[in-house]
Amino acid sequence: MSISSPDTCISHNNNNLPNLSNKSNGMRGNKYNCNNSGTPRTRLERLLRERELRKFNKSLNDGETELLNNDSFSPDSFEAFSWFNDEESLETISANRNSTDGCERQDSRASRERLLVVANRLPVSAVRRGVDSWHLEISVGGLVSALLGVKEFETRWIGWAGVNVPDEIGQRALIKALAEKRCIPVFLDEEIVHQYYNGYCNNILWPLFHYLGLPQEDRLATTRSFQSQFDAYKKANQMFAEVVKEHYVEGDVVWCHDYHLMFLPKCLKERNRKMKVGWFLHTPFPSSEIHRTLPSRLELLRSVLAADLVGFHTYDYARHFVSACTRILGLEGTPEGVEDQGRLTRVAAFPIGIDSDRFIRALELPQVQDHMKELKERFAGRKGILMQICEQFIELLMVNVNNCKVMLGVDRLDMIKGIPQKILAFEKFLEENPNWRDKVVLLQIAVPTRTDVPEYQKLTSQVHEIVGRINGRFGTLTAVPIHHLDRSLDFHALCALYAVTDVALVTSLRDGMNLVSYEFVACQASKKGVLILRAAQSLGAGAILVNPWNVTEVASSIGYALNMPADEREKRHHHNFVHVTTHTSQEWAATFVSELNDTIVEAQLRTRQIPPPLPIEVAVDRYAKSNNRLLILGFNATLTEPVDTLGRKGSQIKEMEPKLRPDLQEPLRKLCDDPKTTIVVLSGSDRSVLDDNFGDYSMWLAAENGMFLRATKGDWMTTMPENLNMEWVDSVKHVFEYFTERTPRSHFELRETSLIWNYKYADVEFGRLQARDLLQHLWTGPISNASLDVVQGSRSIEVRSVGVTKGAAIDRILGEIVHNKGMKEPIDYVLCIGHFLAKDEDIYTFFEPELPSEVPAPVRSHVTPPVRTSVSKLSTSRSLSREDRLKKHRPMPTIGRSKSYHVNTDVFQSRVVDRMSLQEGSSVLDLQGDNYFSCSVARKRSNARYLLGSSDDVVKLLTELTNSWINGMNTDGSTMEGN
């Protein structure tokens, strides 16, 4: 259900609808009362409201919607897929029944929200019967099982049909056959499948995500073939993206699934940035230390982050993902997700569930009843154990059997299913309980998978070897304790076994969502079965938690479960049953889509605060038509060479010694030659850095946030306020030195007006902790009573005197420039570009036209209408003598510089700007609103009017300005020659 219309109104006269107006929940009034115009204002309120609406719809429609056919797993009943049928939507039914007192449901829609499920495999397998004929069969799997009961959305499934179809006739026929089942195929050829699916997905990603490293002898071969497999992986994801784009309708929710499609969110966003994209991982996500061993780690993480919402089974996996993005990509992890330059990708845990009603209803089917009756008659009056392994988990179940206890295991033969560990635990149980050796039998049903893979062949041999050894040790001439079969269980037989079971043991080797344990609990409607479970984040309170690697612990837990009192058994089962019937597959899908929709709403709210991209053509055109131009350029991350944010390839050294980009040297030099253009490089860097990079250009340099100024043909002067106190420097310096020694790869810079501690290249988590500790030391010590500003960057801490900002200095800088150049015309064009800290963004507002106080400030995303600032002071300010404007020499404060400067005292002694002339700079402006362009570089949260994505865009802009000036000169020259 979409939450894009938050003003939904439902009659409050219906008693079935919960009232959310309690004081305890912090909401004002009843959100569902039509007489109340209030709407959910926070994200939590919106999600709570959406949750209650889902419950309300469900209560209205219980017994009214067509129930899912219980035999939907059968190939003969394929039509029973809940979302393949054109059933009446829950919202429509609710709308027809909910129009009390003239108040209609505003959020009910004629059709359900469209959900495009994109997965590697379709929920069906296609078998070709002729040139243009296909037979479709259900592909049973965890994702298919989870989505079987999802009825709230109009779902389309996009994926590979599991077969190579090279001819167009076959493709058209398959598309038509699948369309009847609301499936859309992606056609992959054999080579792509081999490299993408068998290669990159199953040989690289799957083992890595399950903490299974590649065998040592295969590492070299894998390294050689990695790039071709990764290229095939990206190509396959792009093919999926093309199919999604072809069938996408505006407003659709695109839900990408699993590690096969980690590259897909980026591909989709590149094709349509407005597309709502979510990505969910059905496997564990490893810790950052494991993920960093993947050669393509950067590309995969950034591709997933293109999604609006990223979901995992458990909080642990979500935490691992955020940690990987923080440590590997160097991005900022927040409680809500991962933030990159103002864009937030929400990361959350969504425990998956099953369609519990389907299993409960199955117990009433004649087929299941017959199975249950057969089991009870055959094993009447005897107690035993049944072990069930399905998909990812091992289940130990107790059933009634003849004199012998039966343990049944059903699982895919996979490394993470724990079959060898289960068998070894069974052996340990027999060792410690001799009286059970002739009373218990383990029937292991192992479904073969990937039989052509050497690792799986080795696993099969290992299991057979263990089974043979245990049978030889504990078997007799007439009986053996373990029977190993290659079989799978029918759905009805499985439900019957669940129903007559007393205990289930789930010992997956990796944490994950245990669908089989959910199925077991769902089928225990009349019995009170006990669940022995691997330590996990679901079903934990009602289960006996075990470590599957500890076979002794598993064996003792079996004995504890067999002797558990009835009241304890009932309490444990009740907790599990409530959890399973609450956390259903329907709730899982609805919650994910609801969170995704809300994430879009939040992103739209944040986007309103993000400046729009700079219209370069307009900026260049205004530049060409103006007569006196001022260009204020930041330095770091604006004019410098790109620096690797992760500290490799000498990036830390490069950042400590920033250099002008080579591709900017020529455009800057030409712009400096334009007599109508004045260029000021305004930076927080010290004077030596600016001298080294711009000493050969004809421009103005403003170092240390504008506290020092010089024309490149002149000497340095200070613009610092007269009362600037620098006595605090030594004490802060000692603190910075201490934390630099304690924090590897951190460093601090000692400037003449500030000190900066930078931990960008330190370990992310440790650096953050050290920064917090450093701030506590500063606030309780050196700066507790000082008039100082502490400026926190993304990974830096700067201490400077109050009033030392670029905005505070720019007026004094303008006054000196105007006097020095002898400007006769007011400045009518200003371009201000920089990657400035928030503290220094007052420079952007300095040039904004003044508005009456009663008029609210303009929205930053709109161009301010033409408003002229006063120019009446121009003649007055120019009539002042140099001595009237400047005070006598005040010595510059020194902190202990690594580089000394020779200062011409005759020039410098009078270069302290008089505070009486603070408005001198602004008085020389004749600036129309649409002739002012303030641009933030790579900072989306900014007070600037516009945004430039990176220094690459700065190169493009300055190059365009240069070409515009050169073309203008050529045009003027041609005109003069013609005259």
Side-chain angles (χ1 to χ4, degrees), residues 303-322:
S303 298
V304 171
L305 286 176
D308 300 293
L309 176 63
V310 177
F312 299 90
H313 282 313
T314 68
Y315 170 74
D316 283 345
Y317 301 159
R319 178 172 55 86
H320 288 167
F321 178 79
V322 173

Side-chain angles (χ1 to χ4, degrees), residues 100-114:
T100 310
D101 297 338
C103 173
E104 289 191 20
R105 290 273 312 275
Q106 295 179 10
D107 70 331
S108 62
R109 297 178 294 277
S111 61
R112 292 165 287 181
E113 186 172 14
R114 280 197 12 140

Side-chain angles (χ1 to χ4, degrees), residues 254-455:
V254 183
W255 194 359
C256 311
H257 289 270
D258 230 355
Y259 59 92
H260 312 88
L261 301 176
M262 295 181 71
F263 207 72
L264 183 58
K266 177 183 177 182
C267 297
L268 294 176
K269 287 292 187 176
E270 288 175 346
R271 287 161 173 78
N272 187 344
R273 302 206 66 81
K274 295 183 179 180
M275 193 180 293
K276 293 188 284 188
V277 179
W279 182 79
F280 190 88
L281 182 65
H282 293 265
T283 69
F285 191 90
S287 68
S288 60
E289 293 303 314
I290 297 295
H291 186 78
R292 73 189 313 123
T293 63
L294 186 65
S296 56
R297 60 193 183 187
L298 299 179
E299 289 184 83
L300 289 183
L301 288 177
R302 287 206 173 274
S303 298
V304 171
L305 286 176
D308 300 293
L309 176 63
V310 177
F312 299 90
H313 282 313
T314 68
Y315 170 74
D316 283 345
Y317 301 159
R319 178 172 55 86
H320 288 167
F321 178 79
V322 173
S323 177
C325 294
T326 300
R327 293 179 177 275
I328 297 175
L329 295 180
L331 301 179
E332 187 71 20
T334 71
E336 293 184 332
V338 179
E339 186 171 351
D340 182 11
Q341 296 296 330
R343 183 186 183 276
L344 177 68
T345 298
R346 194 178 300 279
V347 180
F350 300 90
I352 199 171
I354 63 169
D355 184 5
S356 55
D357 290 341
R358 173 173 173 265
F359 284 87
I360 295 174
R361 292 193 305 267
L363 299 178
E364 305 300 325
L365 293 178
Q367 304 95 313
V368 177
Q369 290 290 330
D370 291 341
H371 278 292
M372 293 172 59
K373 181 178 180 181
E374 180 183 353
L375 287 173
K376 291 177 180 179
E377 290 178 351
R378 181 177 178 183
F379 308 131
R382 307 288 175 87
K383 201 175 191 180
I385 299 176
L386 167 68
M387 181 173 283
Q388 165 68 26
I389 310 174
C390 185
E391 290 298 318
Q392 302 178 13
F393 310 98
I394 303 171
E395 295 199 5
L396 183 64
L397 314 172
M398 292 188 305
V399 299
N400 295 322
V401 299
N402 253 342
N403 293 327
C404 183
K405 315 303 181 182
V406 177
M407 300 172 61
L408 176 64
V410 181
D411 193 11
R412 287 188 307 162
L413 191 57
D414 213 331
M415 267 82 73
I416 67 166
K417 311 307 180 185
I419 293 179
Q421 287 77 12
K422 177 199 63 176
I423 298 175
L424 291 175
F426 177 65
E427 180 184 26
K428 184 68 174 178
F429 178 77
L430 296 179
E431 289 178 352
E432 296 180 346
N433 300 272
N435 57 315
W436 281 90
R437 293 177 183 176
D438 57 348
K439 298 179 181 179
V440 62
V441 174
L442 170 63
L443 175 59
Q444 174 62 52
I445 301 176
V447 180
T449 180
R450 302 183 66 189
T451 55
D452 58 335
V453 178
E455 286 77 11

Side-chain angles (χ1 to χ4, degrees), residues 545-578:
L545 302 183
V546 297
N547 177 3
W549 298 97
N550 190 332
V551 295
T552 301
E553 181 183 353
V554 174
S556 62
S557 297
I558 294 173
Y560 179 79
L562 291 172
N563 296 286
M564 183 178 293
D567 59 339
E568 181 183 352
R569 180 190 300 268
E570 184 172 351
K571 290 178 182 178
R572 288 177 177 271
H573 171 74
H574 175 73
H575 175 88
N576 292 336
F577 190 78
V578 170

Side-chain angles (χ1 to χ4, degrees), residues 626-631 678 814 817-818 823-831 847 869 871 874 921 923-928 931:
S626 56
N627 295 315
N628 192 3
R629 308 141 180 163
L630 174 65
L631 272 57
T678 302
L814 282 180
I817 293 175
V818 169
M823 286 186 180
K824 298 180 180 180
E825 289 188 75
I827 296 172
D828 60 353
Y829 178 93
V830 175
L831 174 64
F847 294 99
T869 54
V871 296
L874 178 61
S923 68
V924 300
L925 297 175
D926 183 19
L927 188 62
Q928 295 183 358
N931 263 19

